[in-house]
Coordinates of all heavy atoms in Angstrom, one line a residue:
M14 N -34.4 8.2 47.9 CA -34.5 7.2 46.9 C -33.1 6.9 46.3 O -32.4 7.8 46.0 CB -35.4 7.7 45.7 CG -36.4 6.7 45.3 SD -37.6 7.5 44.2 CE -36.8 7.2 42.6
T15 N -32.7 5.6 46.3 CA -31.4 5.3 45.8 C -31.6 4.8 44.3 O -32.5 4.1 44.0 CB -30.8 4.1 46.6 OG1 -31.7 3.1 46.7 CG2 -30.4 4.6 48.0
E16 N -30.6 5.3 43.5 CA -30.6 4.9 42.1 C -29.9 3.6 41.9 O -28.7 3.4 42.2 CB -29.9 6.0 41.3 CG -30.0 5.8 39.8 CD -31.1 6.6 39.2 OE1 -31.9 7.3 40.0 OE2 -31.3 6.6 38.0
T17 N -30.6 2.6 41.4 CA -29.9 1.3 41.2 C -29.2 1.4 39.9 O -29.7 1.9 38.9 CB -31.0 0.1 41.2 OG1 -32.0 0.5 40.2 CG2 -31.6 -0.1 42.5
P18 N -28.0 0.8 39.8 CA -27.3 0.8 38.6 C -28.0 0.0 37.5 O -28.7 -1.0 37.9 CB -25.9 0.2 38.9 CG -26.2 -0.6 40.1 CD -27.3 0.1 40.9
P19 N -28.0 0.5 36.3 CA -28.7 -0.3 35.2 C -28.1 -1.7 35.1 O -26.9 -1.9 35.0 CB -28.5 0.6 34.0 CG -27.2 1.4 34.2 CD -27.2 1.6 35.7
E20 N -29.0 -2.6 35.0 CA -28.6 -4.0 34.7 C -29.6 -4.7 33.8 O -30.8 -4.3 33.8 CB -28.5 -4.8 36.1 CG -29.7 -4.7 36.9 CD -29.5 -5.5 38.2 OE1 -28.4 -5.5 38.8 OE2 -30.5 -6.0 38.8
C21 N -29.2 -5.7 33.1 CA -30.0 -6.4 32.1 C -31.2 -7.1 32.8 O -31.0 -7.8 33.8 CB -29.1 -7.4 31.4 SG -30.1 -8.4 30.2
T22 N -32.4 -6.8 32.4 CA -33.5 -7.4 33.0 C -34.1 -8.6 32.3 O -35.2 -9.0 32.5 CB -34.7 -6.4 33.1 OG1 -34.9 -5.9 31.8 CG2 -34.2 -5.2 34.0
H23 N -33.2 -9.2 31.4 CA -33.7 -10.4 30.6 C -33.8 -11.6 31.5 O -32.9 -11.9 32.3 CB -32.7 -10.6 29.5 CG -33.1 -11.8 28.7 ND1 -34.2 -11.9 27.9 CD2 -32.5 -13.1 28.6 CE1 -34.2 -13.1 27.3 NE2 -33.2 -13.8 27.7
W24 N -34.9 -12.3 31.4 CA -35.1 -13.5 32.2 C -34.5 -14.7 31.4 O -34.9 -15.0 30.3 CB -36.6 -13.7 32.4 CG -36.9 -15.0 33.1 CD1 -37.4 -16.2 32.6 CD2 -36.8 -15.3 34.5 NE1 -37.5 -17.1 33.5 CE2 -37.2 -16.7 34.7 CE3 -36.3 -14.6 35.6 CZ2 -37.1 -17.3 36.0 CZ3 -36.3 -15.2 36.9 CH2 -36.7 -16.5 37.0
I25 N -33.5 -15.3 32.0 CA -32.9 -16.5 31.4 C -33.7 -17.7 32.0 O -33.5 -18.2 33.1 CB -31.4 -16.6 31.8 CG1 -30.7 -15.3 31.3 CG2 -30.8 -17.8 31.1 CD1 -29.3 -15.3 31.7
G26 N -34.6 -18.2 31.1 CA -35.5 -19.3 31.6 C -34.7 -20.6 32.0 O -35.1 -21.2 33.0
A27 N -33.7 -20.9 31.3 CA -32.9 -22.1 31.5 C -32.3 -22.1 32.9 O -32.2 -23.1 33.6 CB -31.9 -22.4 30.5
D28 N -31.8 -20.9 33.3 CA -31.1 -20.7 34.6 C -32.0 -20.3 35.7 O -31.6 -20.2 36.8 CB -30.0 -19.7 34.4 CG -28.8 -20.2 33.5 OD1 -28.9 -21.3 33.0 OD2 -27.9 -19.4 33.3
R29 N -33.3 -19.9 35.3 CA -34.3 -19.4 36.2 C -33.7 -18.2 37.0 O -33.8 -18.2 38.3 CB -34.7 -20.5 37.2 CG -35.4 -21.7 36.5 CD -35.8 -22.8 37.4 NE -37.0 -23.5 36.9 CZ -38.2 -23.1 37.2 NH1 -38.5 -22.2 38.1 NH2 -39.2 -23.8 36.7
R30 N -33.2 -17.3 36.3 CA -32.7 -16.1 36.9 C -32.7 -14.9 35.9 O -32.7 -15.2 34.7 CB -31.3 -16.3 37.5 CG -30.3 -16.5 36.4 CD -28.8 -16.6 37.0 NE -27.9 -16.9 35.9 CZ -27.3 -15.9 35.2 NH1 -27.5 -14.6 35.5 NH2 -26.4 -16.2 34.3
Y31 N -32.5 -13.7 36.4 CA -32.4 -12.6 35.5 C -30.9 -12.5 35.1 O -30.0 -12.9 35.9 CB -32.8 -11.3 36.1 CG -34.3 -11.2 36.3 CD1 -34.9 -11.5 37.5 CD2 -35.1 -10.9 35.2 CE1 -36.3 -11.4 37.7 CE2 -36.5 -10.9 35.4 CZ -37.1 -11.1 36.6 OH -38.4 -11.1 36.7
C32 N -30.6 -11.9 33.9 CA -29.3 -11.8 33.4 C -28.4 -10.9 34.4 O -27.4 -11.3 34.8 CB -29.2 -11.3 32.0 SG -27.6 -10.8 31.4
R33 N -28.9 -9.7 34.6 CA -28.3 -8.8 35.5 C -26.9 -8.3 35.1 O -26.1 -7.8 36.0 CB -28.2 -9.3 37.0 CG -29.6 -9.7 37.4 CD -29.8 -9.5 38.9 NE -31.2 -9.4 39.2 CZ -31.7 -9.0 40.4 NH1 -30.9 -8.6 41.3 NH2 -32.9 -9.1 40.6
A34 N -26.5 -8.5 33.9 CA -25.3 -8.0 33.4 C -25.3 -6.5 33.5 O -26.3 -5.8 33.3 CB -25.0 -8.5 32.0
R35 N -24.1 -5.9 33.8 CA -24.1 -4.4 33.9 C -23.2 -3.7 32.8 O -23.0 -2.5 32.9 CB -23.6 -4.0 35.3 CG -24.6 -4.4 36.3 CD -24.3 -3.9 37.7 NE -25.3 -4.3 38.6 CZ -25.2 -4.1 39.9 NH1 -24.2 -3.5 40.4 NH2 -26.2 -4.5 40.7
D36 N -22.7 -4.5 31.9 CA -21.8 -4.0 30.9 C -22.6 -3.5 29.7 O -23.4 -4.3 29.1 CB -20.7 -5.0 30.4 CG -19.8 -5.3 31.6 OD1 -19.6 -4.5 32.4 OD2 -19.2 -6.4 31.6
A37 N -22.4 -2.3 29.3 CA -23.1 -1.7 28.1 C -24.6 -2.0 28.1 O -25.1 -2.3 27.0 CB -22.4 -2.3 26.8
V38 N -25.2 -1.8 29.2 CA -26.6 -2.0 29.3 C -27.3 -0.8 28.7 O -27.0 0.3 29.0 CB -27.1 -2.3 30.8 CG1 -28.6 -2.2 30.9 CG2 -26.5 -3.6 31.3
R39 N -28.3 -1.0 27.9 CA -29.0 0.1 27.3 C -30.5 -0.2 27.4 O -31.0 -1.3 27.5 CB -28.7 0.2 25.8 CG -27.3 0.8 25.6 CD -26.9 0.8 24.1 NE -27.8 1.5 23.3 CZ -27.9 1.3 22.0 NH1 -27.2 0.5 21.4 NH2 -28.8 2.0 21.3
R40 N -31.3 0.9 27.3 CA -32.8 0.8 27.4 C -33.4 0.4 26.0 O -33.1 1.1 25.0 CB -33.4 2.1 27.9 CG -34.9 1.9 28.2 CD -35.4 3.1 28.9 NE -34.9 3.2 30.3 CZ -35.4 2.5 31.3 NH1 -36.4 1.6 31.1 NH2 -34.9 2.6 32.5
Y41 N -34.1 -0.6 26.0 CA -34.9 -1.1 24.8 C -36.4 -1.1 25.2 O -36.7 -0.9 26.3 CB -34.4 -2.4 24.4 CG -33.0 -2.4 23.9 CD1 -32.0 -2.6 24.7 CD2 -32.7 -2.2 22.5 CE1 -30.6 -2.6 24.3 CE2 -31.4 -2.2 22.1 CZ -30.4 -2.4 23.0 OH -29.1 -2.4 22.5
L42 N -37.2 -1.3 24.2 CA -38.6 -1.3 24.4 C -39.0 -2.3 25.5 O -39.8 -1.9 26.4 CB -39.4 -1.7 23.1 CG -39.5 -0.6 22.1 CD1 -40.2 -1.0 20.8 CD2 -40.2 0.6 22.7
P43 N -38.5 -3.5 25.6 CA -38.9 -4.4 26.7 C -38.2 -4.1 28.0 O -38.6 -4.6 29.0 CB -38.4 -5.8 26.2 CG -37.9 -5.6 24.8 CD -37.6 -4.2 24.6
G44 N -37.2 -3.2 28.0 CA -36.6 -2.8 29.3 C -35.1 -2.7 29.1 O -34.6 -2.6 27.9
L45 N -34.3 -2.7 30.2 CA -32.9 -2.6 30.1 C -32.3 -3.9 29.7 O -32.7 -5.0 30.2 CB -32.3 -2.2 31.5 CG -32.8 -0.8 32.0 CD1 -32.4 -0.7 33.5 CD2 -32.1 0.3 31.2
R46 N -31.4 -3.9 28.7 CA -30.8 -5.1 28.2 C -29.3 -5.0 27.9 O -28.9 -3.9 27.5 CB -31.5 -5.5 26.8 CG -32.9 -5.9 27.0 CD -33.0 -7.2 27.8 NE -34.3 -7.3 28.4 CZ -35.4 -7.9 27.9 NH1 -35.3 -8.4 26.7 NH2 -36.5 -8.0 28.5
C47 N -28.6 -6.1 28.2 CA -27.2 -6.1 27.9 C -27.0 -6.5 26.4 O -28.0 -6.9 25.8 CB -26.4 -7.1 28.7 SG -26.8 -8.8 28.3
P48 N -25.9 -6.3 25.8 CA -25.7 -6.6 24.3 C -26.1 -8.0 23.9 O -26.6 -8.2 22.8 CB -24.2 -6.3 24.1 CG -23.8 -5.4 25.1 CD -24.6 -5.8 26.3
A49 N -26.0 -8.9 24.8 CA -26.4 -10.3 24.5 C -27.9 -10.5 24.4 O -28.3 -11.5 23.9 CB -25.7 -11.3 25.4
H50 N -28.6 -9.7 25.1 CA -30.1 -9.9 25.2 C -30.9 -8.8 24.6 O -32.1 -8.6 25.1 CB -30.4 -10.1 26.7 CG -29.8 -11.3 27.3 ND1 -29.1 -11.3 28.4 CD2 -29.7 -12.6 26.8 CE1 -28.6 -12.6 28.7 NE2 -29.0 -13.4 27.7
T51 N -30.4 -8.0 23.7 CA -31.3 -7.0 23.0 C -32.3 -7.7 22.2 O -32.2 -8.9 21.9 CB -30.4 -6.1 22.1 OG1 -29.9 -7.0 21.0 CG2 -29.3 -5.5 22.8
P52 N -33.4 -7.0 21.9 CA -34.5 -7.7 21.1 C -33.9 -8.2 19.8 O -34.3 -9.3 19.4 CB -35.5 -6.5 20.9 CG -35.3 -5.6 22.0 CD -33.8 -5.7 22.4
S53 N -33.0 -7.5 19.2 CA -32.4 -8.0 17.9 C -31.6 -9.2 18.2 O -31.7 -10.2 17.4 CB -31.5 -6.9 17.3 OG -32.3 -5.8 17.0
A54 N -30.8 -9.2 19.2 CA -29.9 -10.4 19.5 C -30.7 -11.6 19.8 O -30.4 -12.7 19.3 CB -29.0 -10.0 20.7
L55 N -31.8 -11.5 20.5 CA -32.6 -12.6 20.8 C -33.3 -13.2 19.6 O -33.6 -14.4 19.6 CB -33.7 -12.2 21.9 CG -33.2 -11.9 23.2 CD1 -34.3 -11.4 24.1 CD2 -32.5 -13.1 23.9
R56 N -33.5 -12.4 18.6 CA -34.1 -12.9 17.3 C -33.0 -13.3 16.3 O -33.4 -13.7 15.2 CB -35.0 -11.8 16.7 CG -36.2 -11.6 17.5 CD -37.2 -10.7 16.8 NE -38.3 -10.3 17.6 CZ -38.5 -9.1 18.1 NH1 -37.6 -8.2 17.8 NH2 -39.5 -8.8 18.9
G57 N -31.8 -13.1 16.7 CA -30.7 -13.5 15.8 C -30.5 -12.5 14.6 O -30.1 -12.8 13.6
R58 N -31.0 -11.2 14.9 CA -30.8 -10.2 13.8 C -29.7 -9.3 14.2 O -29.3 -9.2 15.3 CB -32.1 -9.4 13.8 CG -33.3 -10.2 13.2 CD -34.3 -9.2 12.8 NE -35.7 -9.8 12.7 CZ -36.8 -9.2 13.1 NH1 -36.7 -8.0 13.6 NH2 -37.9 -9.9 13.0
P59 N -29.1 -8.6 13.1 CA -28.1 -7.6 13.4 C -28.7 -6.4 14.2 O -29.9 -6.1 14.0 CB -27.6 -7.2 12.0 CG -28.7 -7.5 11.1 CD -29.4 -8.7 11.7
E60 N -27.8 -5.8 15.0 CA -28.3 -4.6 15.7 C -28.6 -3.5 14.8 O -27.9 -3.3 13.8 CB -27.2 -4.2 16.7 CG -27.0 -5.2 17.8 CD -28.2 -5.3 18.8 OE1 -28.9 -4.3 19.0 OE2 -28.5 -6.5 19.2
P61 N -29.6 -2.7 15.1 CA -29.8 -1.4 14.3 C -28.7 -0.5 14.6 O -28.0 -0.6 15.6 CB -31.1 -0.9 14.9 CG -31.3 -1.5 16.2 CD -30.6 -2.8 16.2
P62 N -28.4 0.4 13.6 CA -27.3 1.4 13.8 C -27.4 2.2 15.1 O -28.5 2.5 15.5 CB -27.3 2.3 12.6 CG -28.6 2.0 11.9 CD -29.1 0.6 12.4
P63 N -26.3 2.4 15.8 CA -26.4 3.0 17.1 C -26.6 4.5 17.0 O -26.5 5.1 15.9 CB -25.0 2.8 17.7 CG -24.1 2.7 16.5 CD -24.9 2.1 15.4
G64 N -26.9 5.1 18.2 CA -27.0 6.6 18.3 C -28.4 7.0 18.1 O -29.3 6.3 17.5
P65 N -28.7 8.2 18.7 CA -30.1 8.7 18.6 C -30.4 9.3 17.3 O -29.5 9.9 16.7 CB -30.2 9.7 19.7 CG -28.8 10.2 19.9 CD -27.9 9.1 19.5
G66 N -31.5 9.2 16.8 CA -31.9 9.8 15.5 C -31.3 9.2 14.3 O -30.9 8.0 14.3
W67 N -31.3 9.9 13.2 CA -30.8 9.4 12.0 C -29.3 9.4 11.9 O -28.7 10.3 12.6 CB -31.4 10.2 10.8 CG -32.9 9.9 10.6 CD1 -33.8 9.6 11.6 CD2 -33.6 10.0 9.4 NE1 -35.0 9.5 11.0 CE2 -34.9 9.7 9.7 CE3 -33.2 10.3 8.1 CZ2 -35.9 9.7 8.7 CZ3 -34.1 10.3 7.1 CH2 -35.5 10.0 7.4
P68 N -28.7 8.5 11.1 CA -27.2 8.6 10.9 C -26.9 10.0 10.3 O -27.7 10.6 9.6 CB -26.9 7.5 9.9 CG -28.2 7.0 9.4 CD -29.3 7.4 10.3
T69 N -25.6 10.4 10.6 CA -25.2 11.7 10.1 C -25.3 11.9 8.6 O -25.6 13.0 8.1 CB -23.7 12.0 10.5 OG1 -23.1 10.8 10.8 CG2 -23.7 13.0 11.7
G70 N -25.0 10.8 7.9 CA -25.1 10.9 6.4 C -26.4 11.1 5.8 O -26.6 11.4 4.7
A71 N -27.5 11.0 6.7 CA -28.8 11.0 6.2 C -29.2 12.4 5.6 O -30.0 12.5 4.7 CB -29.8 10.7 7.3
W72 N -28.5 13.5 6.1 CA -28.9 14.8 5.7 C -27.9 15.4 4.6 O -28.0 16.5 4.3 CB -28.9 15.7 6.9 CG -29.9 15.3 7.8 CD1 -29.8 14.8 9.1 CD2 -31.4 15.4 7.6 NE1 -31.0 14.5 9.6 CE2 -32.0 14.8 8.8 CE3 -32.2 15.8 6.6 CZ2 -33.3 14.7 8.9 CZ3 -33.5 15.6 6.7 CH2 -34.1 15.1 7.9
T73 N -27.1 14.5 4.0 CA -26.3 15.0 2.9 C -27.1 15.1 1.6 O -26.7 15.7 0.7 CB -25.1 14.1 2.7 OG1 -25.5 12.7 2.5 CG2 -24.1 14.1 3.8
T74 N -28.2 14.4 1.6 CA -29.1 14.5 0.4 C -29.8 15.8 0.5 O -30.0 16.4 1.6 CB -30.2 13.4 0.5 OG1 -30.7 13.3 1.8 CG2 -29.5 12.0 0.1
P75 N -30.3 16.4 -0.6 CA -31.0 17.7 -0.6 C -32.2 17.6 0.3 O -32.9 16.6 0.3 CB -31.4 17.9 -2.0 CG -30.8 16.9 -2.8 CD -30.2 15.8 -2.0
S76 N -32.3 18.6 1.1 CA -33.5 18.7 2.0 C -34.8 18.9 1.2 O -34.7 19.4 0.1 CB -33.3 19.8 3.0 OG -33.6 21.0 2.4
P77 N -35.9 18.5 1.7 CA -37.1 18.7 1.0 C -37.4 20.1 0.6 O -37.9 20.4 -0.5 CB -38.2 18.2 2.0 CG -37.5 17.3 2.9 CD -36.1 17.8 3.0
Q78 N -36.9 21.0 1.5 CA -37.1 22.4 1.2 C -36.4 22.9 -0.1 O -36.9 23.5 -0.9 CB -36.7 23.3 2.4 CG -37.3 24.7 2.3 CD -36.9 25.5 3.6 OE1 -36.3 25.0 4.5 NE2 -37.3 26.7 3.6
S79 N -35.1 22.5 -0.1 CA -34.3 23.0 -1.3 C -34.7 22.3 -2.5 O -34.7 22.8 -3.6 CB -32.8 22.7 -1.0 OG -32.5 21.4 -1.0
A80 N -35.2 21.0 -2.4 CA -35.7 20.3 -3.5 C -36.9 21.0 -4.1 O -37.1 21.1 -5.3 CB -36.0 18.8 -3.1
S81 N -37.9 21.4 -3.2 CA -39.1 22.0 -3.7 C -38.8 23.4 -4.3 O -39.4 23.8 -5.3 CB -40.1 22.1 -2.5 OG -39.7 23.1 -1.6
A82 N -37.7 24.0 -3.8 CA -37.3 25.3 -4.4 C -36.9 25.1 -5.8 O -37.1 25.9 -6.7 CB -36.2 26.0 -3.6
L83 N -36.1 24.0 -6.0 CA -35.6 23.6 -7.4 C -36.8 23.3 -8.3 O -36.9 23.8 -9.4 CB -34.7 22.4 -7.3 CG -34.2 21.9 -8.6 CD1 -33.3 23.0 -9.3 CD2 -33.3 20.7 -8.4
F84 N -37.8 22.6 -7.8 CA -39.0 22.2 -8.6 C -39.7 23.5 -8.9 O -40.2 23.6 -10.1 CB -39.9 21.3 -7.8 CG -39.2 19.9 -7.6 CD1 -39.5 19.2 -6.5 CD2 -38.4 19.4 -8.5 CE1 -38.9 18.0 -6.2 CE2 -37.8 18.1 -8.3 CZ -38.0 17.4 -7.2
D85 N -39.8 24.4 -8.0 CA -40.5 25.7 -8.2 C -39.8 26.4 -9.3 O -40.5 26.9 -10.2 CB -40.4 26.5 -6.9 CG -41.8 26.5 -6.2 OD1 -42.6 25.7 -6.5 OD2 -42.0 27.4 -5.3
Q86 N -38.5 26.4 -9.3 CA -37.7 27.1 -10.3 C -38.0 26.6 -11.7 O -38.1 27.3 -12.6 CB -36.2 27.0 -9.9 CG -35.4 28.2 -10.3 CD -34.0 28.1 -9.7 OE1 -33.4 27.0 -9.7 NE2 -33.5 29.2 -9.3
R87 N -38.0 25.2 -11.7 CA -38.3 24.6 -13.0 C -39.7 24.9 -13.5 O -39.9 25.1 -14.7 CB -38.1 23.1 -12.9 CG -36.7 22.7 -12.8 CD -36.5 21.2 -12.9 NE -35.1 20.8 -12.7 CZ -34.7 19.7 -12.2 NH1 -35.5 18.8 -11.7 NH2 -33.4 19.4 -12.1
A88 N -40.6 24.9 -12.6 CA -42.0 25.2 -12.9 C -42.1 26.6 -13.5 O -42.8 26.8 -14.5 CB -42.9 25.0 -11.8
V89 N -41.4 27.5 -12.8 CA -41.5 28.9 -13.3 C -40.8 29.0 -14.7 O -41.4 29.7 -15.6 CB -40.7 29.8 -12.3 CG1 -40.5 31.2 -12.9 CG2 -41.6 30.0 -11.0
A90 N -39.7 28.4 -14.8 CA -39.0 28.4 -16.1 C -39.8 27.8 -17.2 O -39.8 28.3 -18.4 CB -37.7 27.7 -16.0
S91 N -40.6 26.8 -17.0 CA -41.4 26.1 -18.0 C -42.7 26.9 -18.3 O -43.4 26.6 -19.2 CB -41.8 24.7 -17.6 OG -42.7 24.8 -16.5
G92 N -43.0 27.9 -17.4 CA -44.1 28.7 -17.7 C -45.4 28.1 -17.1 O -46.5 28.7 -17.2
K93 N -45.3 27.0 -16.4 CA -46.4 26.3 -15.8 C -46.8 27.0 -14.5 O -47.9 26.9 -14.1 CB -46.1 24.9 -15.5 CG -46.2 24.0 -16.7 CD -45.8 22.6 -16.4 CE -45.6 21.7 -17.6 NZ -44.8 20.5 -17.4
R94 N -45.9 27.7 -13.9 CA -46.2 28.4 -12.7 C -46.1 29.9 -12.9 O -45.1 30.4 -13.5 CB -45.1 28.0 -11.6 CG -45.5 28.5 -10.2 CD -44.5 27.9 -9.3 NE -44.8 28.2 -7.9 CZ -44.5 29.3 -7.3 NH1 -43.8 30.3 -8.0 NH2 -44.8 29.6 -6.1
R95 N -47.1 30.6 -12.5 CA -47.2 32.1 -12.7 C -46.1 32.8 -12.0 O -45.8 32.4 -10.8 CB -48.5 32.6 -12.2 CG -49.6 32.3 -13.2 CD -51.0 32.7 -12.6 NE -51.9 33.1 -13.7 CZ -52.2 34.3 -13.9 NH1 -51.8 35.3 -13.1 NH2 -53.0 34.6 -14.9
A96 N -45.4 33.7 -12.6 CA -44.4 34.5 -12.0 C -44.2 35.8 -12.7 O -44.5 35.9 -13.9 CB -43.1 33.7 -12.0
A97 N -43.6 36.7 -12.0 CA -43.2 38.0 -12.6 C -42.2 37.8 -13.7 O -41.5 36.8 -13.7 CB -42.7 39.0 -11.6
A98 N -42.2 38.7 -14.7 CA -41.4 38.5 -15.9 C -39.9 38.3 -15.5 O -39.2 37.4 -16.0 CB -41.5 39.7 -16.8
H99 N -39.4 39.1 -14.6 CA -38.0 39.0 -14.2 C -37.7 37.7 -13.5 O -36.7 37.1 -13.6 CB -37.5 40.3 -13.4 CG -38.1 40.3 -12.0 ND1 -39.4 40.9 -11.8 CD2 -37.6 39.9 -10.8 CE1 -39.6 40.8 -10.5 NE2 -38.6 40.2 -9.9
T100 N -38.7 37.3 -12.7 CA -38.5 36.0 -12.0 C -38.5 34.9 -13.0 O -37.6 33.9 -12.9 CB -39.7 35.7 -11.0 OG1 -39.9 36.9 -10.3 CG2 -39.4 34.6 -10.1
Y101 N -39.3 34.9 -14.0 CA -39.4 33.9 -15.1 C -38.0 33.8 -15.8 O -37.5 32.8 -16.0 CB -40.5 34.3 -16.0 CG -40.6 33.4 -17.3 CD1 -41.1 32.1 -17.2 CD2 -40.3 33.9 -18.5 CE1 -41.2 31.3 -18.3 CE2 -40.3 33.2 -19.7 CZ -40.8 31.9 -19.6 OH -40.9 31.1 -20.7
R102 N -37.5 35.0 -16.2 CA -36.2 35.0 -16.9 C -35.1 34.5 -16.0 O -34.3 33.7 -16.5 CB -35.9 36.5 -17.3 CG -36.5 36.8 -18.7 CD -35.9 38.1 -19.3 NE -36.0 39.3 -18.4 CZ -37.1 40.0 -18.4 NH1 -38.1 39.8 -19.2 NH2 -37.2 41.1 -17.6
A103 N -35.1 34.9 -14.8 CA -34.1 34.4 -13.9 C -34.1 32.9 -13.7 O -33.1 32.2 -13.7 CB -34.2 35.1 -12.5
A104 N -35.4 32.4 -13.6 CA -35.6 30.9 -13.4 C -35.1 30.2 -14.7 O -34.5 29.1 -14.6 CB -37.0 30.6 -13.1
Q105 N -35.5 30.7 -15.8 CA -35.0 30.1 -17.1 C -33.5 30.0 -17.2 O -32.9 29.0 -17.6 CB -35.6 30.9 -18.3 CG -37.0 30.4 -18.6 CD -37.4 30.8 -20.1 OE1 -37.0 31.9 -20.5 NE2 -38.1 29.9 -20.7
Q106 N -32.9 31.1 -16.8 CA -31.4 31.2 -16.8 C -30.8 30.1 -15.8 O -29.9 29.4 -16.2 CB -30.9 32.5 -16.4 CG -30.4 33.4 -17.6 CD -30.2 34.8 -17.2 OE1 -30.1 35.1 -16.0 NE2 -30.0 35.6 -18.2
A107 N -31.4 30.0 -14.7 CA -31.0 29.1 -13.7 C -31.1 27.7 -14.1 O -30.2 26.8 -14.0 CB -31.7 29.3 -12.4
V108 N -32.2 27.3 -14.7 CA -32.5 26.0 -15.2 C -31.6 25.6 -16.3 O -31.0 24.5 -16.4 CB -34.0 25.8 -15.6 CG1 -34.2 24.5 -16.3 CG2 -34.8 25.9 -14.4
R109 N -31.4 26.6 -17.3 CA -30.5 26.4 -18.4 C -29.1 26.2 -17.9 O -28.3 25.3 -18.4 CB -30.5 27.6 -19.4 CG -31.3 27.2 -20.6 CD -31.1 28.3 -21.6 NE -32.3 29.1 -21.8 CZ -32.4 30.4 -21.6 NH1 -31.4 31.1 -21.2 NH2 -33.6 31.0 -21.7
G110 N -28.7 27.0 -16.9 CA -27.3 26.9 -16.3 C -27.1 25.5 -15.7 O -26.0 24.9 -15.8
R111 N -28.1 24.9 -15.1 CA -28.0 23.6 -14.5 C -27.8 22.5 -15.5 O -27.1 21.5 -15.3 CB -29.3 23.3 -13.7 CG -29.2 23.6 -12.3 CD -30.5 23.4 -11.6 NE -30.8 24.5 -10.6 CZ -30.3 24.5 -9.4 NH1 -29.5 23.6 -9.0 NH2 -30.6 25.5 -8.6
K112 N -28.5 22.6 -16.7 CA -28.5 21.6 -17.7 C -27.1 21.6 -18.4 O -26.7 20.5 -18.8 CB -29.6 21.8 -18.7 CG -30.9 21.3 -18.2 CD -32.1 21.6 -19.2 CE -33.4 21.1 -18.6 NZ -34.5 21.6 -19.4
S113 N -26.5 22.7 -18.7 CA -25.3 22.8 -19.5 C -24.1 22.4 -18.6 O -24.2 22.4 -17.4 CB -25.1 24.2 -20.0 OG -25.0 25.1 -19.0
Ligands
ZN23 ZN1 -28.4 -9.9 29.5

């Protein structure tokens, strides 16, 4: 089996041919496309940010886990959440420390 190099599979109706460009061809939902024929480009929209997954800055915000730990601490400090006496005092200290 021979591997064909990736090429743009966009059908150019006016020219009655496929684009077949091989520069910077990437896989999109409709197939392989060159930068001029991406789904966004065909709709006149800006390209979505590149790269797999979320942008690196996305995780600089507190993770859900640490956020819930903070909420837990506040709940313990307010007495709404049952906790051992020493846990309660520690939580109150921590919450007071954050506010000041
Ligand atoms: Zn193309």
Side-chain angles (χ1 to χ4, degrees):
M14 229 169 90
T15 52
E16 187 93 0
T17 53
E20 54 183 30
C21 180
T22 56
H23 176 71
W24 175 258
I25 304 173
D28 293 359
R29 296 179 152 267
R30 65 175 180 92
Y31 289 102
C32 169
R33 305 215 162 191
R35 291 186 182 176
D36 293 335
V38 171
R39 287 172 58 198
R40 186 171 289 283
Y41 293 87
L42 285 177
L45 296 167
R46 291 295 155 88
C47 73
H50 295 130
T51 65
S53 297
L55 292 174
R56 291 192 189 104
R58 291 200 201 139
E60 292 296 323
W67 288 31
T69 18
W72 297 111
T73 55
T74 50
S76 74
Q78 198 179 356
S79 66
S81 73
L83 176 62
F84 295 145
D85 257 16
Q86 211 170 42
R87 282 187 186 153
V89 167
S91 69
K93 283 178 190 161
R94 189 173 185 278
R95 283 171 150 254
H99 69 275
T100 313
Y101 174 73
R102 275 196 298 276
Q105 275 202 320
Q106 256 171 11
V108 170
R109 253 189 253 122
R111 267 175 219 280
K112 278 177 184 167
S113 60

